[in-house]
Amino acid sequence: MPACFDVAVVGGGAAGLTAAISAARAGRTVVLCDVDMRPALTPAEVPSDPPVEPDGTPAAYGFGWFLNPWKGHARMWHYGETVGFRTAIHRFPGAGLTVVVLANRSDLNASALALQVAAIFLSKES
């Protein structure tokens, strides 16, 4: 761990990881402990009303992340929407790939678009 850092992120949920990525891209030294990521990457047991993907498919869910693999690739992802906006983030840790879609329109599927982009890059791995 660096002796000196600019940003310490506590928690590995979608907001914490987004903050860490943004700070690192801005040239800041970021500390995010492995222990903070474990809850995000460990599927939770949900006794009633288990999580599902937007299409109704059952989903594994960690602390802030859906954990369903996609086409044989480990994946952590999340989506959001509100009036007139759609968002999605899909991370493929084994491939070192993260795709983020931010849209100020409500007539597209941000998650499907992110997966189309991911398919382009992941197909080059094979």
Side-chain angles (χ1 to χ4, degrees):
M1 180 180 313
C4 180
F5 51 87
D6 300 309
V7 178
V9 177
V10 177
L17 289 178
T18 301
I21 291 167
S22 297
R25 286 188 177 152
R28 305 291 186 245
T29 303
V30 179
V31 173
L32 178 63
C33 296
D34 178 54
V35 71
D36 291 328
M37 285 301 298
R38 282 190 207 128
L41 302 176
T42 304
E45 293 291 328
V46 181
S48 61
D49 200 22
V52 295
E53 294 190 21
D55 66 1
T57 304
Y61 193 77
F63 183 63
W65 292 96
F66 291 100
L67 301 172
N68 296 48
W70 185 73
K71 295 192 175 187
H73 295 275
R75 171 179 64 145
M76 49 192 295
W77 66 284
H78 199 82
Y79 71 98
E81 58 187 56
T82 189
V83 178
F85 300 93
R86 301 288 185 264
T87 64
I89 178 172
H90 288 256
R91 298 188 72 231
F92 299 89
L97 175 66
T98 298
V99 180
V100 178
V101 174
L102 306 172
N104 61 348
R105 4 180 342 169
S106 59
D107 62 342
L108 61 78
N109 181 331
S111 191
L113 186 57
L115 290 174
Q116 289 174 3
V117 172
I120 294 167
F121 289 93
L122 294 173
S123 68
K124 293 178 182 179
E125 267 192 355
S126 304

